[in-house]
Amino acid sequence: MQENIQKVKRGKPEQILVLGFASLIAVGTVLLSLPAASVDGHSMGLVNALFESTSAVCVTGLTVVSTAHDLTLFGQIVILVLLQIGGLGFMTMATMIFLLLGKRITLRERLIMQQALNQFSIQGVVLLSRNILIFTFLTELIGAGFLAIQFIPEFGFARGVYYSVFHAVSAFCNAGFDLMGDSFVRYTNNYIINITVMGLVVIGGIGFTVINDIRRQRRFSRWSLHTKIVMLVTPILIVFGFVFYLAVEYNHVLSDYDTSGKVLGALFQSITPRTAGFNTIPTGELRPASKFMTILLMFIGASPASTGGGIKTMTAFVILLAGISVMRGREEAEVFKKRLSRDIVFRALSIALVSFMVLFAITICLTLVEQHPFVDLLFETGSALGTVGLATINTGGLRDISKILLIFVMFMGRVGPLTLTLAFARRKTITHSGIHFPEGKVMVG
């Protein structure tokens, strides 16, 4: 055991995760830069290939070339494989290979899995990874079956099956890649497409830990605190977004649709920023208020240990809860008769702060080299940071320097701002001396 612990110390789990995702992106870049990946028979270029690979591995969905029209079948399959591995996490896929080969999973690998799955301990991480794989493939298969009801009659059997599988994987992984060319705008009134895609997005975004907890414990009272909060916050955000978009866009973007189209369009628009990237209404035509609301929802994103990005619902809720506690004169944040430690609150604040700084720093940089309105560039950066994939401008028309900045943002959004920071930070020194500096007082507010 001591020998294994020494091995773990040679490389932090955060560093392994960052290098793992970077390696996967590099492989995808090489494959997508091949002439065989492009319809015109020419390489799309290193920067474009790197952007597409990063977007797929980070399950973002922002594209600089059309997945439907510019990529060959080979290129599309590369994208599909990358987003499946990226959505599940490379350590989860590695666990599947280890289990199939009968390889023993070491302590070091379990620690990396713990970090990747955002678990409190290494206990049960292998079993959780196995359950994740089974649940994912089963859910995607069911989703593809429902999508096939629409796609097979429309595109024929072979193409319909392929479209069904591709979009089911893309939806569950909250990726937003599509083979239509216009996302699902043509299916605004289609109940099968809307309900299936929204269901896959929500299931993939609530987190594998929550799914596993609900599977084991059917009663709300027996759920963990984490599961209770996620299952409370998720529907609140969905309903809030739905009411907002329906009210603001009712006589604008949604004006040409009937009542069912308006309802489906508003509901889909509320769910997709969390963090799917599909759209059934023209995102670029939204009112400025709706664009800002979408940026906020993209910034919050999905839940921890899910296929989605953003600062996560739990982070936003902890910060909100801490603020309410201060206003109520309480020293600790409390929810469901439980108190949250200050470490959790500080971690949530750190994640939000780093993400906020990156969001505005990159947006300001983009305004210096691009001619698009500020709100659209903020939207683009927020979409990359939240690994969403929605866009109000033509991403492919951006300059190479802008694409490189967005690549960095997508990467940070997928591995997590705190994980990326800790990966290159000095190892924390733990002291038990009990010595503290004198308390200082400053004025805030």
Side-chain angles (χ1 to χ4, degrees):
M1 179 66 72
Q2 185 66 30
E3 182 181 354
N4 285 330
I5 293 176
Q6 291 300 323
K7 290 181 180 179
V8 172
K9 291 181 178 180
R10 296 172 190 169
K12 294 188 291 186
E14 296 89 352
Q15 293 175 335
I16 303 299
L17 287 177
V18 170
L19 292 175
F21 276 107
S23 300
L24 185 58
I25 290 172
V27 173
T29 301
V30 172
L31 294 176
L32 290 174
S33 64
L34 297 175
S38 301
V39 172
D40 61 8
H42 297 88
S43 173
M44 68 177 68
L46 182 61
V47 174
N48 286 343
L50 178 60
F51 191 100
E52 291 289 313
S53 179
T54 304
S55 184
V57 172
C58 299
V59 289
T60 304
L62 286 175
T63 59
V64 290
V65 298
S66 173
T67 309
H69 303 129
D70 296 331
L71 295 184
T72 61
L73 179 61
F74 169 76
Q76 292 173 358
I77 291 177
V78 171
I79 293 290
L80 179 62
V81 173
L82 290 177
L83 65 89
Q84 179 72 91
I85 298 175
L88 289 174
F90 76 94
M91 276 307 299
T92 302
M93 298 301 293
T95 301
M96 179 182 69
I97 297 174
F98 292 162
L99 292 175
L100 290 175
L101 296 177
K103 182 181 180 297
R104 179 178 176 273
I105 299 176
T106 65
L107 174 62
R108 179 191 179 102
E109 290 158 351
R110 291 171 190 265
L111 286 170
I112 298 172
M113 291 164 60
Q114 176 195 351
Q115 179 70 28
L117 297 174
N118 201 14
Q119 297 299 295
F120 298 114
S121 69
I122 64 173
Q123 184 178 3
V125 291
V126 177
L127 179 60
L128 176 60
S129 297
R130 189 190 67 178
N131 291 338
I132 287 173
L133 290 166
I134 295 174
F135 179 83
T136 296
F137 295 140
L138 182 60
T139 304
E140 291 173 348
L141 180 62
I142 294 173
F146 281 108
L147 293 177
I149 298 175
Q150 172 66 37
F151 289 152
I152 290 180
E154 183 176 353
F155 299 109
F157 182 78
R159 190 179 178 192
V161 170
Y162 172 56
Y163 274 35
S164 300
V165 172
F166 188 98
H167 291 101
V169 174
S170 184
F172 181 81
C173 291
N174 280 227
F177 282 88
D178 71 276
L179 299 178
M180 305 299 174
D182 59 354
S183 195
F184 294 122
V185 173
R186 69 184 74 177
Y187 299 113
T188 306
N189 287 294
N190 190 299
Y191 282 93
I192 295 176
I193 298 297
N194 276 265
I195 294 175
T196 302
V197 172
M198 286 189 293
L200 289 170
V201 169
V202 171
I203 293 173
I206 62 176
F208 297 114
T209 305
V210 173
I211 294 171
N212 195 50
D213 194 18
I214 295 176
R215 182 184 62 84
R216 293 183 302 166
Q217 304 290 346
R218 305 289 180 174
R219 296 173 57 183
F220 179 85
S221 59
R222 295 185 177 181
W223 288 351
S224 67
L225 178 61
H226 175 86
T227 300
K228 289 178 180 178
I229 295 176
V230 169
M231 296 305 291
L232 171 68
V233 175
T234 298
I236 288 177
L237 288 174
I238 291 175
V239 172
F240 174 77
F242 165 71
V243 173
F244 179 89
Y245 289 119
L246 187 63
V248 174
E249 300 295 339
Y250 191 88
N251 293 317
H252 189 240
V253 172
L254 298 173
S255 61
D256 294 333
Y257 302 104
D258 57 19
T259 303
S260 64
K262 287 180 169 64
V263 171
L264 285 174
L267 183 59
F268 197 99
Q269 185 61 32
S270 176
I271 290 175
T272 193
R274 317 264 325 288
T275 53
F278 295 115
N279 61 288
T280 58
I281 57 178
T283 307
E285 298 177 14
L286 293 173
R287 294 180 185 272
S290 296
K291 290 181 180 179
F292 273 108
M293 176 56 66
T294 304
I295 293 171
L296 175 61
L297 292 176
M298 291 190 299
F299 187 76
I300 295 174
S303 298
S306 71
T307 60
I311 65 171
K312 302 296 189 292
T313 55
M314 189 63 67
T315 303
F317 182 79
V318 168
I319 295 173
L320 176 64
L321 200 63
I324 293 175
S325 298
V326 172
M327 289 186 285
R328 295 177 62 187
R330 296 178 178 269
E331 293 185 357
E332 296 177 324
E334 300 172 352
V335 60
F336 291 118
K337 298 182 179 180
K338 300 284 186 179
R339 65 179 178 84
L340 301 179
S341 69
R342 293 187 178 182
D343 287 342
I344 294 177
V345 175
F346 288 155
R347 185 180 180 90
L349 288 170
S350 299
I351 292 172
L353 178 61
V354 173
S355 299
F356 185 82
M357 292 171 61
V358 170
L359 175 65
F360 281 92
I362 298 300
T363 301
I364 291 173
C365 291
L366 291 180
T367 61
L368 298 176
V369 296
E370 302 291 345
Q371 301 300 316
H372 298 286
F374 175 81
V375 64
D376 291 324
L377 294 176
L378 180 64
F379 193 103
E380 190 83 3
T381 309
S383 182
L385 183 63
T387 67
V388 181
L390 293 174
T392 57
I393 58 178
N394 177 22
T395 306
L398 297 177
R399 299 182 181 182
D400 284 350
I401 182 62
S402 299
K403 295 177 184 177
I404 292 173
L405 289 174
L406 291 176
I407 287 170
F408 166 76
V409 175
M410 287 190 291
F411 186 75
M412 170 172 276
R414 180 62 184 97
V415 301
L418 205 56
T419 298
L420 191 62
T421 302
L422 292 175
F424 299 102
R426 294 180 61 185
R427 197 179 304 276
K428 181 173 66 174
T429 301
I430 301 176
T431 177
H432 301 283
S433 63
I435 299 175
H436 298 276
F437 288 108
E439 181 178 334
K441 295 185 181 296
V442 297
M443 292 181 289
V444 295

